[in-house]
Amino acid sequence: MNPTGAVLLFAACAAYGATSSPYRDTVNQYCVTCHNQRLKTGGLTLDNLDIGNVAGDAATWEKVIRKLRAGAMPPTGAKHPDAGTTHRLVAYLEGELDAAATAHPDPGSPVLHRLNRAEYANAIRDLLGLEIDAASLLLPDDSAYGFDNVSDALGVSPLLQERYVSAAMKVGALAAGDPNVAPASSVYRIRQDVSQDQHLEGMPLGTVGGTQVRYNFPLDAEYVFQAKLYRTNLNIMRGLDLPHQVEFTVDGRRIHVAAIGGKADLESLFEKPTVTGDEVDARLRVRVPVKAGPRVVTAAFVQDPEVATPARLQPYLRSTVDNFDWSGRPHIQTLTITGPFNATGWGDTPSRRRIFTCHTESEACAKQIISSLIRRAYRQPAAEADVRLAMSFYEAGRREGGFEAGIERAVQRILASPKFLFRFERDPDEVRPGSVYRISGLELASRLSFFLWSSIPDEELLKAASDGLLKNPAILDREVRRMLADARSQALVDNFAGQWLHLRNLRNVAPNSDDFPDFDDNLRQGFQRETEMLFESVVREDRNVLDLMTADYTFVNERLARHYGIPDIYGSRFRRIAVHEDARRGLLGHGSILAVTSHAERTSPVLRGKFVLENILGMPVPPPPPDVPQLKGNQEGERPRTMREQMAEHRANAVCASCHKTMDSIGFALENFDAVGAWRTKDAGDPIDASGELADGSKVDGVVALRNSIVSRPDVFAATMTEKLMTYALGRGVDYRDMPAIRAIVRDAGRNDYRFSTLVLGIVRSTPFEMRVKDANLGK
């Protein structure tokens, strides 16, 4: 019997038996035998709980409800009550808890929230019209509850404070177009496993391989562009045995083309390999004038149908598999942009247009610019004290370098202000400590914009908040729908889905090249793009969120289609196609999910089962004990064993068996997908056994049966997704106090076909999102 499930089952039953209840016979029949104060099965006794006061032990009863709704209790093998009895029990518990939450709401008091790197970059973009690489400016963010925007994890260290000030100085100078900016280099590296014998999505037509970057040129000036090719472990430049051309472009305009490889380079390579490599590098360097502003820079090989990769008996899909192989196609390793040199002016950049809204170079003009920036940056009307402080920095800068230098200095001060870097929510003086109150319209606008856009409110939302219009439910709903339709809601794909579905972890997926020689970064990126586009389609088309599990369509390009065995798909462009193989429908058939839940050389039923339990079914998995032995894999000289055989030995350990029983059955149902998500029918030479039994006793024999079992309880998946969304929206972990609100959201969504917008609207209208508790310790 699963200890956790047993404990929670007794929680439901013993309380019924503790008071007069029509369910006493049920309690005695199904629960009390194991869960009493003598046996203390699962480490918890609940016979002292009063079923008439469910709210008094809300945390325990919420755990009970979660297990009952997922069908995880009674545990497999134990006698089960009929469905009607279980349903009535759940309905009673939820009704009592929901009524108590309505009478005594407790939305919590989120701690001070610092902008994380993604939010900082988006805020700079929306405030100044400037795209920045926050990862190069700020320290990495910690995460909690699965997300990196959780306030508890966003600490502040002296080093981080220094980095914020440094970032403010750099960003302010770049945005204002500081003519004194010193030349600097930006190096863009291409992963070694990118196949560069094919056209890459977004690159100029007629090219193969290479890279594309978006670079912000600070001034009208000259810049140096340098590409370097990969070399072998012996420092021999690869791919010079055949002639190639490398093309550089800026915004699609060719600025340089260089010829490399062929007979002369090959002969020189054998005589003086290092010198030849340096000579080729020199050909891949050019210095040209470029106008200021954000521009797309590419470096790629010109496609030549007459130049082919040397034939192999069975060519790999990946264009490079050996670090000692100097033949084949060349591969660009880095693209470096250095400058500015010989600047001729500030240029007409989006950031300067955003900042310099007037040009009289007067104090009144400066005050207008600064007041407007403060309003957006601080997410509230510009206070006179804030304007005075920023104006003092303007005056200091103006005295040293003129009007624009003064504005630059003021921008830097605004960006370094805690009012920009932190999301303050101030408790009203008139509210008593410990009391629940509704947050202000401006605070609600800030919560809303960071939820949906990971950025600051725009002018329309700020105006609605300042005018008190967000108190009107119809206007609030209209703003939510407007924001979801805006391109900035892409942040939900990048930041919410990227973390909930572990898509950010794909960058670390590196399958063993001996076992999976075809795997390359092109496929890795294809995995991520497919899942992102599926999630985006659910958001943009306001589809039923269950489509994430059951979608009969997906998005592929040629590389991904070849991996999945889908014919007649050509080119690097992703396009929407119908899914004809039932096993590939929805997230469980996506290579992204299957790869991030595998090890480098094999699948992992444990990781896959854990992922489904925690992220699809909302069933937290406890961490393993510290002394759990590692899985003993196949040993040299022994008969290869299937993953099920290896796991059977592992599960023989009594410490492991209780938790793994449920996890492994889910993982085994996905065993027809190998470690990189390709379909297979055999493991270690034997037919794959994908059968298993889930926690609710239902039998599965593969991914289709597993998916059908999951969607047979649509409220469970919808509740899990709502919990994840609410955690992300609030920037804190959800707990038992939030569950009544989550249930209300899911019930309303169920009446509206579980459309994505109904989940979002439900969260925005909820007590945890719109209200907070004043700190009871204030004034003590």
Side-chain angles (χ1 to χ4, degrees), residues 259-272:
I260 64 169
K263 182 178 180 181
D265 281 344
L266 184 61
E267 291 175 351
S268 176
L269 184 69
F270 287 114
E271 296 176 4
K272 44 184 181 179

Side-chain angles (χ1 to χ4, degrees), residues 644 664-666 668-669 689-694 697-702:
R644 182 179 285 270
D664 294 354
S665 292
I666 294 173
F668 288 140
D689 179 4
S691 64
E693 183 177 358
L694 303 183
S698 54
K699 309 290 186 181
V700 295
D701 58 0

Side-chain angles (χ1 to χ4, degrees), residues 68-90:
L68 288 172
R69 280 216 169 268
M73 52 184 289
T76 303
K79 188 175 181 181
H80 284 233
D82 61 78
T85 299
T86 302
H87 175 76
R88 288 190 293 272
L89 173 58
V90 170

Side-chain angles (χ1 to χ4, degrees), residues 527-575:
F527 283 166
Q528 180 166 340
R529 192 78 185 104
E530 176 191 25
T531 306
E532 288 176 343
M533 293 181 78
L534 175 63
F535 185 87
E536 185 178 0
S537 73
V538 171
V539 175
R540 300 285 180 221
E541 300 166 26
D542 198 17
R543 301 178 70 94
N544 185 323
V545 296
L546 269 296
D547 284 0
L548 291 170
M549 300 299 301
T550 63
D552 59 358
Y553 65 93
T554 193
F555 300 85
V556 298
N557 64 358
E558 180 178 355
R559 179 67 185 89
L560 185 58
R562 290 180 69 181
H563 183 70
Y564 287 164
I566 301 173
D568 304 324
I569 302 293
Y570 303 102
S572 61
R573 180 182 63 85
F574 275 79
R575 77 290 315 260

Side-chain angles (χ1 to χ4, degrees), residues 438 441 444-445 448 452 461 464 469-483 761 764-766 769-770:
R438 190 173 297 276
L444 179 59
L448 188 56
L452 301 182
L461 182 59
L469 299 180
L470 296 184
K471 297 177 182 178
N472 185 323
I475 293 178
L476 180 61
D477 285 8
R478 183 192 69 194
E479 284 298 297
V480 170
R481 294 185 186 279
R482 177 183 71 84
M483 295 174 73
L761 286 166
V764 172
R765 298 167 184 156
S766 70
F769 195 84
E770 292 193 334

Side-chain angles (χ1 to χ4, degrees), residues 123-330:
I124 294 295
R125 176 201 65 198
D126 295 339
L127 177 67
L128 301 176
L130 182 68
E131 301 277 355
I132 64 167
D133 177 17
S136 67
L137 298 172
L138 303 174
L139 300 176
D141 299 305
D142 292 326
S143 63
Y145 304 100
F147 298 100
D148 63 5
N149 68 339
V150 172
S151 55
D152 286 344
L154 294 171
V156 180
S157 66
L159 178 57
L160 182 59
Q161 293 178 47
E162 291 179 9
R163 296 294 286 270
Y164 272 123
V165 172
S166 174
M169 300 299 289
K170 292 178 181 178
V171 171
L174 187 59
D178 187 339
N180 299 313
V181 63
S185 296
S186 296
V187 181
Y188 301 90
R189 300 184 183 278
I190 306 174
R191 293 185 68 132
Q192 189 269 340
D193 60 350
V194 173
S195 290
Q196 298 193 41
D197 60 347
Q198 55 194 266
H199 181 262
L200 304 180
E201 186 180 23
M203 296 290 284
L205 295 177
T207 66
V208 295
T211 188
Q212 178 183 108
V213 301
R214 188 170 180 84
Y215 185 81
N216 196 85
F217 294 89
L219 299 170
D220 290 352
E222 294 178 355
Y223 296 86
V224 175
F225 300 82
Q226 170 75 70
K228 290 191 174 183
L229 305 184
Y230 268 102
R231 304 190 183 203
T232 70
N233 290 356
L234 301 178
N235 200 34
I236 300 174
M237 186 170 284
R238 292 198 314 222
L240 297 184
D241 46 333
L242 295 174
H244 299 276
Q245 286 187 317
V246 179
E247 175 189 72
F248 294 76
T249 69
V250 175
D251 283 349
R253 179 179 63 88
R254 177 182 281 185
I255 61 170
H256 182 61
V257 63
I260 64 169
K263 182 178 180 181
D265 281 344
L266 184 61
E267 291 175 351
S268 176
L269 184 69
F270 287 114
E271 296 176 4
K272 44 184 181 179
T274 302
V275 173
T276 302
D278 293 343
E279 290 175 349
V280 170
D281 284 343
R283 287 179 234 163
L284 301 179
R285 183 187 305 116
V286 63
R287 178 167 170 165
V288 295
V290 181
K291 290 288 187 181
R295 306 197 180 280
V296 176
V297 179
T298 67
F301 299 99
V302 178
Q303 188 172 22
D304 185 351
E306 295 183 3
V307 177
T309 301
R312 298 184 178 97
L313 292 177
Q314 184 176 353
Y316 297 117
L317 297 183
R318 173 175 165 180
S319 65
T320 175
V321 294
D322 188 348
N323 288 335
F324 291 93
D325 185 5
W326 55 267
S327 63
R329 278 192 171 273

Side-chain angles (χ1 to χ4, degrees), residues 2 24 41 50 98 159 170 186 234 239 277 339 382 390 410 434 436 484 517 523 579 623 625 675 678 714 734 751 757:
N2 182 299
R24 174 172 293 278
T41 303
D50 182 5
D98 293 351
L159 178 57
K170 292 178 181 178
S186 296
L234 301 178
V436 176
L484 283 174
L523 184 59
V579 174
V734 299
R751 293 189 287 268
S757 65

